[in-house]
Amino acid sequence: MTEITSLVQVVVSGILTGGVYAIVGIGLSLIFGVMRVVNFAHGEFLALGMYAALFLFSRFHLDPYLASIIVLPAAMLLGYAAEKLFIAPIAHAPEHSSILMTVGLGLVISNLLLFGFGAQPQSIYTVYSTSTLRLGAVTFSLPLTVSFLITVGAIAGLYAVLTRTEVGRAMRATAQNRDAAELVGVNTAQIRGLAFGIGTALAMLAGTLLLPVLYVIPTVGGVFTLKAFVVTVLAGMGNVLGAIGGGLILGVAESLGATYVSSGYRDAFGLIAFLLVLLFKPAGLFGRSRV
Protein backbone atom coordinates (compact mmCIF):
# COMPACT_ATOMS: atom_id res chain seq x y z
CA MET A 1 0.00 0.00 0.00
CA THR A 2 2.86 2.33 0.86
CA GLU A 3 4.50 1.64 -2.50
CA ILE A 4 1.26 2.40 -4.35
CA THR A 5 0.86 5.65 -2.43
CA SER A 6 4.45 6.56 -3.25
CA LEU A 7 3.86 5.83 -6.95
CA VAL A 8 0.69 7.96 -6.96
CA GLN A 9 2.62 10.76 -5.25
CA VAL A 10 5.36 10.64 -7.89
CA VAL A 11 2.84 10.62 -10.77
CA VAL A 12 0.90 13.55 -9.27
CA SER A 13 4.11 15.56 -8.92
CA GLY A 14 4.98 14.74 -12.53
CA ILE A 15 1.55 15.83 -13.78
CA LEU A 16 1.75 19.17 -11.94
CA THR A 17 5.20 19.87 -13.39
CA GLY A 18 4.11 18.57 -16.79
CA GLY A 19 1.30 21.12 -16.90
CA VAL A 20 3.87 23.93 -16.96
CA TYR A 21 5.94 22.05 -19.56
CA ALA A 22 2.76 21.77 -21.64
CA ILE A 23 2.18 25.50 -21.81
CA VAL A 24 5.82 26.02 -22.87
CA GLY A 25 5.42 23.40 -25.58
CA ILE A 26 2.07 24.80 -26.75
CA GLY A 27 3.68 28.18 -27.41
CA LEU A 28 6.43 26.60 -29.51
CA SER A 29 3.93 24.37 -31.35
CA LEU A 30 1.65 27.30 -32.15
CA ILE A 31 4.53 29.30 -33.63
CA PHE A 32 5.73 26.34 -35.70
CA GLY A 33 2.22 25.35 -36.76
CA VAL A 34 1.30 28.81 -38.07
CA MET A 35 4.68 30.17 -39.17
CA ARG A 36 6.78 27.04 -39.86
CA VAL A 37 9.48 28.72 -37.80
CA VAL A 38 11.42 26.82 -35.12
CA ASN A 39 11.89 29.39 -32.37
CA PHE A 40 15.24 28.72 -30.69
CA ALA A 41 14.70 31.78 -28.46
CA HIS A 42 11.59 30.26 -26.82
CA GLY A 43 13.36 29.35 -23.58
CA GLU A 44 15.00 32.77 -23.37
CA PHE A 45 11.54 34.37 -23.49
CA LEU A 46 10.60 32.11 -20.57
CA ALA A 47 13.68 33.36 -18.69
CA LEU A 48 12.60 36.91 -19.52
CA GLY A 49 9.23 36.15 -17.91
CA MET A 50 10.97 34.88 -14.78
CA TYR A 51 13.09 38.01 -14.50
CA ALA A 52 10.07 40.26 -15.19
CA ALA A 53 8.23 38.60 -12.28
CA LEU A 54 11.39 38.81 -10.14
CA PHE A 55 11.68 42.54 -10.85
CA LEU A 56 8.00 43.19 -10.02
CA PHE A 57 8.31 41.13 -6.83
CA SER A 58 11.52 42.77 -5.58
CA ARG A 59 10.58 46.35 -6.49
CA PHE A 60 6.81 46.40 -5.93
CA HIS A 61 6.24 43.26 -3.78
CA LEU A 62 3.85 42.01 -6.44
CA ASP A 63 3.09 38.30 -6.19
CA PRO A 64 4.31 36.36 -9.28
CA TYR A 65 0.81 35.05 -10.02
CA LEU A 66 -0.60 38.58 -9.98
CA ALA A 67 2.42 39.77 -11.96
CA SER A 68 1.32 37.48 -14.80
CA ILE A 69 -1.61 39.86 -15.39
CA ILE A 70 0.95 42.54 -16.30
CA VAL A 71 3.48 40.23 -17.95
CA LEU A 72 1.01 38.52 -20.33
CA PRO A 73 -0.07 41.54 -22.42
CA ALA A 74 3.44 43.00 -22.35
CA ALA A 75 4.83 39.67 -23.54
CA MET A 76 2.33 39.49 -26.37
CA LEU A 77 3.28 42.96 -27.58
CA LEU A 78 6.98 42.07 -27.26
CA GLY A 79 6.52 38.88 -29.26
CA TYR A 80 4.51 40.68 -31.94
CA ALA A 81 7.18 43.38 -32.23
CA ALA A 82 9.98 40.78 -32.34
CA GLU A 83 8.26 38.98 -35.20
CA LYS A 84 7.82 42.20 -37.19
CA LEU A 85 11.38 43.40 -36.56
CA PHE A 86 13.36 40.17 -36.88
CA ILE A 87 11.32 37.32 -38.40
CA ALA A 88 9.00 38.96 -40.96
CA PRO A 89 11.86 40.54 -43.01
CA ILE A 90 13.29 37.07 -43.66
CA ALA A 91 9.95 35.27 -44.10
CA HIS A 92 10.81 34.24 -47.67
CA ALA A 93 14.48 33.45 -47.00
CA PRO A 94 15.72 29.82 -46.68
CA GLU A 95 14.63 28.02 -43.50
CA HIS A 96 18.06 28.18 -41.89
CA SER A 97 17.80 32.00 -41.84
CA SER A 98 14.95 31.95 -39.31
CA ILE A 99 16.83 29.37 -37.23
CA LEU A 100 19.94 31.56 -37.11
CA MET A 101 17.83 34.63 -36.39
CA THR A 102 16.05 33.06 -33.41
CA VAL A 103 19.33 31.64 -32.06
CA GLY A 104 20.79 35.15 -32.26
CA LEU A 105 17.70 36.64 -30.64
CA GLY A 106 18.03 34.18 -27.77
CA LEU A 107 21.69 35.07 -27.27
CA VAL A 108 20.84 38.76 -27.18
CA ILE A 109 18.10 38.20 -24.56
CA SER A 110 20.28 36.03 -22.30
CA ASN A 111 23.18 38.51 -22.48
CA LEU A 112 20.88 41.44 -21.74
CA LEU A 113 19.61 39.53 -18.68
CA LEU A 114 23.20 38.84 -17.65
CA PHE A 115 24.03 42.53 -18.00
CA GLY A 116 20.93 43.68 -16.14
CA PHE A 117 20.67 41.13 -13.32
CA GLY A 118 24.13 39.57 -13.02
CA ALA A 119 25.17 35.91 -13.25
CA GLN A 120 24.30 34.85 -9.69
CA PRO A 121 21.26 32.62 -9.14
CA GLN A 122 18.26 34.52 -7.74
CA SER A 123 15.01 33.36 -6.22
CA ILE A 124 12.07 34.67 -4.24
CA TYR A 125 10.38 33.39 -1.13
CA THR A 126 6.64 33.68 -0.61
CA VAL A 127 4.50 32.44 2.26
CA TYR A 128 3.30 29.58 0.07
CA SER A 129 6.62 28.59 -1.57
CA THR A 130 6.94 25.45 0.55
CA SER A 131 3.25 24.94 1.37
CA THR A 132 1.46 21.72 0.49
CA LEU A 133 -2.11 20.50 0.18
CA ARG A 134 -3.10 17.02 1.31
CA LEU A 135 -5.65 14.67 -0.24
CA GLY A 136 -5.60 11.44 1.74
CA ALA A 137 -2.01 10.23 1.81
CA VAL A 138 -1.02 12.26 -1.26
CA THR A 139 0.43 15.77 -0.93
CA PHE A 140 0.37 18.50 -3.56
CA SER A 141 2.85 21.36 -3.79
CA LEU A 142 0.69 24.50 -3.44
CA PRO A 143 2.67 26.69 -5.92
CA LEU A 144 2.76 23.88 -8.50
CA THR A 145 -0.96 23.24 -8.00
CA VAL A 146 -1.78 26.92 -8.53
CA SER A 147 0.53 26.97 -11.57
CA PHE A 148 -1.22 23.89 -12.97
CA LEU A 149 -4.67 25.48 -12.54
CA ILE A 150 -3.54 28.73 -14.20
CA THR A 151 -2.05 26.64 -17.01
CA VAL A 152 -5.36 24.81 -17.48
CA GLY A 153 -7.16 28.17 -17.63
CA ALA A 154 -4.68 29.54 -20.18
CA ILE A 155 -4.99 26.44 -22.38
CA ALA A 156 -8.81 26.60 -22.22
CA GLY A 157 -8.68 30.29 -23.19
CA LEU A 158 -6.36 29.58 -26.13
CA TYR A 159 -8.58 26.70 -27.27
CA ALA A 160 -11.62 28.99 -27.18
CA VAL A 161 -9.77 31.63 -29.22
CA LEU A 162 -8.62 29.09 -31.80
CA THR A 163 -12.01 27.41 -32.24
CA ARG A 164 -14.60 30.11 -31.60
CA THR A 165 -13.24 33.41 -32.92
CA GLU A 166 -12.53 34.82 -36.38
CA VAL A 167 -8.91 35.34 -35.39
CA GLY A 168 -8.64 31.68 -34.41
CA ARG A 169 -10.18 30.55 -37.68
CA ALA A 170 -7.78 32.81 -39.60
CA MET A 171 -4.90 31.36 -37.61
CA ARG A 172 -5.93 27.78 -38.37
CA ALA A 173 -6.44 28.65 -42.05
CA THR A 174 -2.94 30.16 -42.21
CA ALA A 175 -1.51 27.06 -40.57
CA GLN A 176 -3.23 24.77 -43.07
CA ASN A 177 -2.49 26.71 -46.28
CA ARG A 178 -1.05 30.21 -46.21
CA ASP A 179 -1.67 30.96 -49.91
CA ALA A 180 -5.30 29.78 -49.78
CA ALA A 181 -5.87 31.83 -46.62
CA GLU A 182 -4.64 34.95 -48.39
CA LEU A 183 -6.98 34.25 -51.33
CA VAL A 184 -10.00 34.36 -48.99
CA GLY A 185 -8.86 37.64 -47.42
CA VAL A 186 -6.85 36.59 -44.38
CA ASN A 187 -4.04 39.00 -43.54
CA THR A 188 -1.44 36.29 -42.94
CA ALA A 189 1.28 38.80 -42.04
CA GLN A 190 -0.79 39.99 -39.08
CA ILE A 191 -1.70 36.42 -38.14
CA ARG A 192 1.98 35.38 -38.10
CA GLY A 193 2.80 38.28 -35.80
CA LEU A 194 -0.13 37.40 -33.58
CA ALA A 195 0.93 33.72 -33.39
CA PHE A 196 4.46 34.70 -32.38
CA GLY A 197 3.01 37.12 -29.81
CA ILE A 198 0.78 34.44 -28.27
CA GLY A 199 3.63 31.90 -28.25
CA THR A 200 5.90 34.41 -26.54
CA ALA A 201 3.20 35.28 -24.00
CA LEU A 202 2.73 31.59 -23.11
CA ALA A 203 6.50 31.16 -22.62
CA MET A 204 6.74 34.22 -20.38
CA LEU A 205 3.62 33.13 -18.45
CA ALA A 206 5.36 29.81 -17.74
CA GLY A 207 8.36 31.79 -16.47
CA THR A 208 6.24 33.73 -13.97
CA LEU A 209 4.58 30.48 -12.81
CA LEU A 210 7.92 28.76 -12.24
CA LEU A 211 9.57 31.60 -10.31
CA PRO A 212 8.13 30.64 -6.87
CA VAL A 213 9.68 27.14 -7.11
CA LEU A 214 12.90 27.63 -9.11
CA TYR A 215 16.09 29.66 -9.03
CA VAL A 216 16.63 31.86 -12.07
CA ILE A 217 19.89 32.57 -13.89
CA PRO A 218 20.31 34.30 -17.28
CA THR A 219 21.15 31.03 -19.04
CA VAL A 220 18.14 29.06 -17.72
CA GLY A 221 16.36 29.57 -21.04
CA GLY A 222 18.48 26.96 -22.83
CA VAL A 223 17.16 24.23 -20.55
CA PHE A 224 13.56 25.16 -21.27
CA THR A 225 14.11 25.55 -25.00
CA LEU A 226 15.25 21.92 -24.93
CA LYS A 227 12.23 20.86 -22.86
CA ALA A 228 9.91 22.70 -25.27
CA PHE A 229 11.44 20.79 -28.18
CA VAL A 230 11.00 17.49 -26.34
CA VAL A 231 7.32 18.33 -25.70
CA THR A 232 6.83 19.40 -29.32
CA VAL A 233 8.42 16.25 -30.73
CA LEU A 234 6.46 14.00 -28.34
CA ALA A 235 3.26 15.76 -29.42
CA GLY A 236 4.10 16.03 -33.13
CA MET A 237 5.56 19.19 -34.66
CA GLY A 238 2.93 21.92 -34.74
CA ASN A 239 0.28 19.90 -32.88
CA VAL A 240 -0.97 22.43 -30.30
CA LEU A 241 -3.42 20.15 -28.47
CA GLY A 242 -0.97 17.25 -28.57
CA ALA A 243 1.53 19.44 -26.68
CA ILE A 244 -0.67 19.05 -23.60
CA GLY A 245 -0.10 15.29 -23.67
CA GLY A 246 3.57 15.79 -24.52
CA GLY A 247 4.10 18.06 -21.52
CA LEU A 248 2.37 15.67 -19.13
CA ILE A 249 4.36 12.68 -20.47
CA LEU A 250 7.63 14.59 -20.05
CA GLY A 251 6.74 15.67 -16.51
CA VAL A 252 5.74 12.16 -15.41
CA ALA A 253 8.79 10.56 -17.11
CA GLU A 254 11.15 12.95 -15.33
CA SER A 255 9.39 12.45 -11.99
CA LEU A 256 9.44 8.62 -12.23
CA GLY A 257 13.06 8.55 -13.40
CA ALA A 258 14.25 10.95 -10.70
CA THR A 259 12.49 8.93 -7.97
CA TYR A 260 13.21 5.36 -9.01
CA VAL A 261 16.55 5.70 -10.85
CA SER A 262 18.50 8.84 -9.99
CA SER A 263 17.53 12.46 -9.38
CA GLY A 264 20.88 13.51 -10.86
CA TYR A 265 19.74 12.37 -14.32
CA ARG A 266 16.25 13.90 -14.15
CA ASP A 267 16.59 15.78 -17.46
CA ALA A 268 18.02 12.71 -19.20
CA PHE A 269 14.77 10.75 -18.96
CA GLY A 270 12.92 13.28 -21.07
CA LEU A 271 15.69 13.11 -23.65
CA ILE A 272 15.45 9.31 -23.71
CA ALA A 273 11.71 9.60 -24.41
CA PHE A 274 12.55 12.20 -27.08
CA LEU A 275 14.97 9.81 -28.85
CA LEU A 276 12.61 6.84 -28.62
CA VAL A 277 9.77 8.82 -30.21
CA LEU A 278 12.07 10.07 -32.98
CA LEU A 279 13.20 6.49 -33.67
CA PHE A 280 9.85 4.70 -33.61
CA LYS A 281 7.22 7.40 -34.25
CA PRO A 282 8.94 10.39 -35.90
CA ALA A 283 5.60 12.14 -36.59
CA GLY A 284 5.04 12.32 -32.83
CA LEU A 285 2.62 10.49 -30.57
CA PHE A 286 -0.35 12.61 -31.65
CA GLY A 287 0.51 13.45 -35.29
CA ARG A 288 1.80 16.62 -36.93
CA SER A 289 0.45 20.18 -37.35
CA ARG A 290 -3.01 20.47 -35.82
CA VAL A 291 -3.44 24.11 -34.78
Side-chain angles (χ1 to χ4, degrees):
M1 188 66 181
T2 305
E3 291 181 356
I4 294 175
T5 302
S6 176
L7 176 63
V8 172
Q9 178 68 67
V10 172
V11 172
V12 165
S13 298
I15 289 173
L16 294 180
T17 306
V20 181
Y21 290 165
I23 200 167
V24 182
I26 286 173
L28 191 67
S29 293
L30 181 67
I31 291 171
F32 180 82
V34 174
M35 301 174 61
R36 294 295 185 270
V37 168
V38 180
N39 180 18
F40 281 86
H42 202 64
E44 278 70 23
F45 281 115
L46 181 147
L48 194 58
M50 294 182 84
Y51 275 104
L54 176 70
F55 176 81
L56 292 171
F57 182 84
S58 58
R59 290 294 181 93
F60 305 105
H61 306 291
L62 188 61
D63 185 273
Y65 299 130
L66 294 177
S68 64
I69 298 172
I70 298 173
V71 171
L72 258 180
M76 193 160 173
L77 289 174
L78 176 64
Y80 184 88
E83 196 277 335
K84 293 302 171 197
L85 287 173
F86 303 112
I87 310 296
I90 57 170
H92 300 290
E95 287 184 4
H96 67 266
S97 299
S98 62
I99 292 175
L100 293 174
M101 179 61 79
T102 56
V103 168
L105 185 59
L107 289 173
V108 169
I109 292 172
S110 61
N111 279 281
L112 285 175
L113 292 174
L114 181 65
F115 179 75
F117 294 91
Q120 69 280 8
Q122 299 186 59
S123 64
I124 65 170
Y125 182 78
T126 62
V127 292
Y128 54 79
S129 288
T130 56
S131 300
T132 57
L133 303 172
R134 180 171 286 276
L135 181 62
V138 180
T139 58
F140 300 76
S141 162
L142 180 58
L144 280 180
T145 302
V146 174
S147 298
F148 184 83
L149 294 175
I150 293 175
T151 296
V152 170
I155 292 172
L158 177 63
Y159 181 78
V161 168
L162 289 176
T163 58
R164 304 193 177 197
T165 67
E166 286 300 323
V167 170
R169 279 187 276 274
M171 206 170 284
R172 286 187 287 133
T174 303
Q176 290 169 12
N177 190 317
R178 180 178 173 181
D179 294 334
E182 288 182 348
L183 286 175
V184 295
V186 174
N187 186 338
T188 57
Q190 294 293 338
I191 291 299
R192 286 165 59 87
L194 188 58
F196 202 87
I198 293 174
T200 301
L202 293 177
M204 291 183 66
L205 172 64
T208 63
L209 298 180
L210 287 170
L211 185 63
V213 293
L214 290 181
Y215 289 97
V216 57
I217 55 175
T219 55
V220 72
V223 175
F224 284 97
T225 295
L226 187 58
K227 289 186 185 298
F229 278 123
V230 172
V231 171
T232 304
V233 169
L234 288 174
M237 291 296 288
N239 190 333
V240 172
L241 292 179
I244 300 171
L248 296 178
I249 290 171
L250 176 61
V252 172
E254 286 187 352
S255 185
L256 287 171
T259 303
Y260 294 108
V261 183
S262 171
S263 60
Y265 297 102
R266 183 185 184 93
D267 292 337
F269 301 108
L271 295 177
I272 292 171
F274 172 84
L275 292 175
L276 290 175
V277 170
L278 279 181
L279 280 173
F280 298 107
K281 202 168 174 48
L285 298 176
F286 306 102
R288 294 180 188 273
S289 289
R290 294 174 60 192
V291 173

